[in-house]
Amino acid sequence: MGKLQMTILAFIAISCCIHIRRQLQDRDYIKHLFLGSDAGKSRILYLDYVRLIAALFVILVHCLDFSTAGLTTGTKEWVAVQSLSSILLVCNTLFIMNSGALILREQRDSLAVFYYKRFLQVALPFFCYYCIYILLSCQYFNSGFLSGIFKALKDMAAGPIGWAPHLWVIYVILSLYILAPFFSILLKHLNDSMLHGLAFLILLFRCLAVYLPVMGLPLNFELMISPWEGVFLLGYYFAQPISMKYRKAWWGLGLAACLFTVLCTALRPDYKAILLAEGAPAMILLAASVFLMLRSLESRLPKPGIVMNFLIRHSYSILLVHWAVLYFVRERLHIGGLGFKMAGSTLLSFLLVLVLSAAAAFLFDQTVVLCVQTLFKRLVHPLRSR
């Protein structure tokens, strides 16, 4: 039996011991493990929907890209698919905006507690799932275990490797968490008119930065914040009651952004640079309209059932693992060769990737991630109790 198999068995054995111990301490532990705990009642429903929609859009757009890779550029089908793909890529803006709404809205923890929670709940799972792509790449451990670990950590620090391009958004979110406590304090001192002004300036300067170069005016108009920091701050703005007063205007701008996306895709060869730039205005407007639509419908939104609640609770892990699952579905199951048309192939791939990603996320979270988080808690606990 190889080292990898022995490591997997060790994680399974240790995690089983942890689960058994917790079940003995709490008779409802296994039930809460699958169905969620009562603590979920305090969750913000529309933000759960935003997170779920963003996760579903990520999977759908990647399945769509693989299913339609052979379309001829410039045809009507190609324009339709690329327009849809561009609209679905609002998922990245939604993830970052949702993070801003959650983190900046009610940040009351001390710096130490805040960073501890983010490291435990976000950074450690990210590291664990990243290891999957390190192993899949098959390029790190050919010259020895220790040298492979050093090279893998070096590449991880530099950004997502070629086997995990979708993880760039997690790098962005993790970097935003570093400044989040300070942003939260600053934002709470802004009155409503100042918040409106901040949102307007962020959107205005993103328009100048993205659209002026297209018109032959590459002027350097930038705020003292990065594009994704602006989106992060807008998440706070759209989570505030004052933004709801102008929801119809934002909905109109979101509809205009959809039409602009289609026209830009059909008429401009550089449409990706316009539509998919960091903090692209079209994506901000689309995300804002989705955000405020769900907020306005929150009282009418159905409460998540068992399946939906499961997907929401594991949406972060599903995001992390779905690329590996998509590779398996694409390379091993050969859906494209089963005679399905483009729409059928995309839909079938989406359903398979979603189901398998949810199952893989749950199993990986309750074994590898659980063991790593438990070890981290044991190591940090003596320091926190001082």
Side-chain angles (χ1 to χ4, degrees), residues 48 51-52 55 95 310-320:
D48 280 343
R51 185 185 303 108
L52 179 60
F95 271 122
F310 181 89
L311 293 176
I312 290 171
R313 288 190 294 115
H314 295 281
S315 57
Y316 177 58
S317 299
I318 290 172
L319 169 66
L320 294 173

Side-chain angles (χ1 to χ4, degrees), residues 98-156:
N98 186 71
S99 296
L102 283 170
I103 299 299
L104 300 175
R105 192 170 180 267
E106 294 183 2
Q107 172 50 32
R108 299 174 182 173
D109 294 327
S110 66
L111 275 179
V113 172
F114 174 82
Y115 289 136
Y116 171 80
K117 288 181 178 179
R118 300 289 82 74
F119 189 84
L120 179 68
Q121 299 169 2
V122 181
L124 278 182
F126 168 70
F127 174 80
C128 293
Y129 279 94
Y130 205 113
C131 291
I132 295 176
Y133 299 100
I134 294 292
L135 294 174
L136 285 176
S137 65
C138 299
Q139 61 175 327
Y140 289 98
F141 301 102
N142 297 327
S143 58
F145 182 72
L146 291 178
S147 61
I149 290 179
F150 177 77
K151 188 176 185 300
L153 292 175
K154 181 180 177 182
D155 288 350
M156 186 184 298

Side-chain angles (χ1 to χ4, degrees), residues 208-209 211-221:
L208 294 175
Y211 298 142
L212 283 183
V214 175
M215 296 184 289
L217 297 170
L219 301 180
N220 188 22
F221 282 106

Side-chain angles (χ1 to χ4, degrees), residues 341-353:
K341 293 183 179 180
M342 183 179 67
S345 176
T346 302
L347 180 59
L348 181 57
S349 297
F350 169 74
L351 293 175
L352 281 173
V353 172

Side-chain angles (χ1 to χ4, degrees), residues 237-383:
Y237 170 75
F238 291 118
Q240 298 305 302
I242 190 64
S243 64
M244 288 294 287
K245 292 184 178 180
Y246 302 96
R247 60 186 182 279
K248 292 183 179 179
W250 287 105
W251 293 341
L253 290 172
L255 178 60
C258 284
L259 297 176
F260 174 77
T261 299
V262 176
L263 291 174
C264 189
T265 304
L267 301 177
R268 296 195 61 95
D270 60 344
Y271 71 96
K272 288 188 176 181
I274 299 172
L275 298 175
L276 306 181
E278 292 186 358
M283 294 297 105
I284 290 176
L285 295 177
L286 284 172
S289 61
V290 172
F291 226 82
L292 294 178
M293 180 68 73
L294 291 173
R295 277 196 66 187
S296 65
L297 296 174
E298 185 171 20
S299 60
R300 305 177 190 176
L301 292 174
K303 301 297 182 183
I306 295 176
V307 175
M308 186 175 175
N309 185 48
F310 181 89
L311 293 176
I312 290 171
R313 288 190 294 115
H314 295 281
S315 57
Y316 177 58
S317 299
I318 290 172
L319 169 66
L320 294 173
V321 79
H322 85 276
W323 191 262
V325 175
L326 177 59
Y327 171 79
F328 170 79
V329 170
R330 178 169 57 95
E331 297 294 329
R332 303 297 182 184
L333 301 185
H334 304 291
I335 291 177
L338 297 179
F340 292 101
K341 293 183 179 180
M342 183 179 67
S345 176
T346 302
L347 180 59
L348 181 57
S349 297
F350 169 74
L351 293 175
L352 281 173
V353 172
L354 177 61
V355 172
L356 294 177
S357 296
F362 178 78
L363 292 174
F364 198 76
D365 282 348
Q366 303 309 323
T367 51
V368 176
V369 176
L370 175 67
C371 292
V372 173
Q373 288 178 328
T374 303
L375 176 61
F376 176 75
K377 290 178 183 178
R378 294 286 179 87
L379 293 175
V380 174
H381 181 71
L383 299 176

